[in-house]
Amino acid sequence: MTPYSEDLLRGVLSQHSSKGVLFALQTTQEVLGYVPDSSLNVIADVCNVSRAEVYGVFTFYSDLRKTPPAQVVIKVCVAESCQAVGSRTVVDELHARGYDVHAGTIQDDIACEQIFCLGNCALSPAALINGVPMGRVTADALLQAASEMKQ
Ligand code: FES
């Protein structure tokens, strides 16, 4: 991740100002790892829209982060197929260990979040760890894999 600097962000975004607010938000997150509150003014200026408009787009998309990401991000599928074969148990076991997937809890540099269908229903319950798919997961397997990724 690159440390935030208004000049850096203006330089990156000014090359793509015609691509719109969502593209600017995604680019900011790609460069910085998240979308700092202070970057919303820069995006509004570069895209020639109000800060309120940028904020509206920013808050609509749950994949846009307000804070720096954890080193490891676990995303547990909570859609129908996964629920039918045990994702609620996985979610409950993670919750018992202090990770609320519905709130996106970060603990020990591991974040747990919910996601809705990864297209990996044949291996339900499914999850992603830093974007890598895992199937037939358990809370133990997810936390073990997350710990190994941190090292
Ligand atoms: S419902 Fe979980 S991967 Fe499709």
Side-chain angles (χ1 to χ4, degrees), residues 41-57:
N41 290 334
V42 175
I43 293 168
D45 190 36
V46 169
C47 293
N48 198 25
V49 298
S50 70
R51 187 185 194 282
E53 191 172 336
V54 175
Y55 187 77
V57 175

Side-chain angles (χ1 to χ4, degrees), residues 31-48:
V31 171
L32 303 174
Y34 71 112
V35 182
D37 187 61
S38 56
S39 72
L40 300 183
N41 290 334
V42 175
I43 293 168
D45 190 36
V46 169
C47 293
N48 198 25

Side-chain angles (χ1 to χ4, degrees), residues 75-92:
K75 293 186 178 189
V76 180
C77 179
V78 295
E80 287 80 2
S81 173
C82 287
Q83 280 193 32
V85 294
S87 71
R88 284 186 183 174
T89 301
V90 174
V91 167
D92 290 345

Side-chain angles (χ1 to χ4, degrees), residues 72-76 94 110-113 127-130 142-143 146:
V72 180
V73 178
I74 297 171
K75 293 186 178 189
V76 180
L94 288 170
I110 297 172
C112 285
E113 302 172 356
L128 293 175
I129 299 186
N130 281 357
L142 288 170
L143 292 175

